[in-house]
């Protein structure tokens, strides 16, 4: 396996309009299709964040799970279909059916690794997760990526998002970030029930991996092994 890549819902969808794909949707997936030897995780974007917010899924809900899960599954089907149209053996994997949460989060990852070994490209997504005492909560793509990397150990982890990297207080991309203390929160466009950029950094540090955060203009270079965007040093 060459890499684990999160493609943000912020680049695949128009986060201002519910259930709308972005103008770049096809181009992004065409770029990914040129490097199919990895695991793809996509975010919920304008498919999943609005129903999750309406139902308070982030803090726990049972009635919101099906509406949210079916919305993110619809986006997942569109991503898988687009990759397949570009000759990739993309296979959907729904975290709702492969994970649970008590004081920790547990996810089956073996089948994901096996799919990749067999020449397929697993495509996971932000989803709901059954959670002790709460019904269901949100499992973000930002958390799924480090869980897979912990098993796969590719050393090539990327988060493609709507910002060109982690920005400092002047709006400049920082080359490296080693701790959350160095992070300056900026405004997030659209809804993000899982905590936006801060959540990405928290999960990278929590799981102790290194990862790059970059914008869609750097996606091709990332897939070709170049050093793009911001290196988050969580190891
Ligand atoms: N210091 C910062 N540097 C870069 N982006 C930041 C910063 N602070 C906040 N952000 C915001 O984080 C957002 C990206 O996170 P967001 O969760 O919206 O996207 P995503 O995770 O790619 O999408 P999804 O959650 O749908 O997968 C951008 O809109 C950006 O403005
Ligand atoms: Mg997000």
């Amino acid at each position: 396996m060459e890499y684990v890549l999160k493609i943000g819902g912020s680049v695949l969808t128009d986060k201002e309009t519910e259930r709308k794909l972005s103008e770049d949707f096809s181009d992004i997936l065409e770029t990914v299709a040129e490097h199919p030897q990895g695991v793809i995780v996509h975010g919920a974007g304008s498919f999943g964040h609005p129903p999750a917010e309406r139902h308070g899924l982030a803090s726990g809900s049972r009635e919101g799970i099906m509406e949210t899960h079916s919305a993110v599954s619809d986006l997942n089907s569109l991503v898988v279909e687009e990759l397949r149209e570009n000759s990739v053996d993309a296979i959907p994997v729904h975290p709702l059916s492969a994970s649970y949460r008590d004081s920790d989060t547990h996810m089956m990852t073996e089948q994901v690794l096996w799919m990749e070994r067999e020449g397929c490209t697993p495509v996971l997504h932000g989803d709901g997760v059954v959670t002790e005492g709460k019904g269901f909560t949100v499992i973000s793509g930002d958390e799924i990526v480090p869980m897979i990397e912990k098993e796969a150990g590719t050393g090539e982890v990327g988060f493609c998002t709507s910002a060109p990297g982690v920005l400092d207080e002047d709006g400049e991309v920082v080359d490296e970030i080693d701790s959350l203390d160095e992070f300056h929160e900026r405004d997030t466009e659209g809804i993000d029930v899982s905590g936006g950029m801060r959540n990405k950094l928290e999960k990278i540090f929590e799981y102790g991996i290194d990862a790059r955060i970059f914008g869609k203009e750097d996606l091709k270079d990332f897939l070709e092994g170049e050093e793009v965007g911001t290196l988050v040093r969580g190891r």
Side-chain angles (χ1 to χ4, degrees), residues 94-102 104-109 111 125 127-131 136-139 144 147:
H94 302 294
L96 174 65
S97 312
S99 58
Y100 70 95
R101 186 174 270 161
D102 45 24
D104 292 318
T105 305
H106 309 266
M107 193 170 80
M108 281 193 275
T109 50
Q111 80 280 42
H125 55 89
D127 205 344
V129 53
V130 65
T131 300
F136 296 83
T137 58
V138 171
I139 183 164
I144 296 165
M147 293 178 96

Side-chain angles (χ1 to χ4, degrees), residues 6-13 15 41-49 75 126 140-142 159-169 171-174 177 182-201 213-214 230:
K6 155 107 189 271
I7 315 176
S10 62
V11 293
L12 288 176
T13 73
K15 274 186 111 168
V41 181
H42 65 79
S46 69
F47 284 66
H49 289 292
L75 176 59
S140 65
D142 300 338
F159 292 78
C160 181
T161 186
S162 53
V166 179
L167 307 178
D168 65 16
E169 59 273 42
E172 300 288 330
V173 176
V174 304
I177 180 163
E182 298 162 32
F183 176 63
H184 296 273
E185 185 95 55
R186 299 170 65 89
D187 284 345
T188 298
E189 301 147 24
I191 313 168
D192 196 279
V193 295
S194 48
M197 181 60 72
R198 178 176 289 276
N199 182 248
K200 270 182 238 310
L201 297 175
I213 299 181
F214 52 87
T230 300

Side-chain angles (χ1 to χ4, degrees), residues 47-157:
F47 284 66
H49 289 292
E53 183 179 68
R54 282 197 291 277
H55 295 285
L57 192 63
S59 48
S61 155
R62 219 162 66 192
E63 39 106 38
I65 184 58
M66 272 316 294
E67 191 186 339
T68 308
H69 176 69
S70 75
V72 289
S73 296
D74 288 348
L75 176 59
N76 183 256
S77 299
L78 293 168
V79 172
V80 168
E81 274 164 32
E82 188 73 26
L83 288 168
R84 288 193 156 261
E85 276 170 23
N86 286 280
S87 309
V88 177
D89 270 333
I91 305 286
V93 178
H94 302 294
L96 174 65
S97 312
S99 58
Y100 70 95
R101 186 174 270 161
D102 45 24
S103 51
D104 292 318
T105 305
H106 309 266
M107 193 170 80
M108 281 193 275
T109 50
E110 286 89 346
Q111 80 280 42
V112 174
L113 304 199
W114 274 102
M115 286 172 189
E116 197 280 334
R117 274 186 216 119
E118 289 297 308
C120 298
T121 306
V123 185
L124 297 87
H125 55 89
D127 205 344
V129 53
V130 65
T131 300
E132 185 178 18
K134 290 188 173 177
F136 296 83
T137 58
V138 171
I139 183 164
S140 65
D142 300 338
E143 178 166 13
I144 296 165
V145 166
M147 293 178 96
I148 292 170
E149 174 62 8
K150 278 297 201 188
E151 299 301 321
T154 66
E156 286 289 328
V157 180

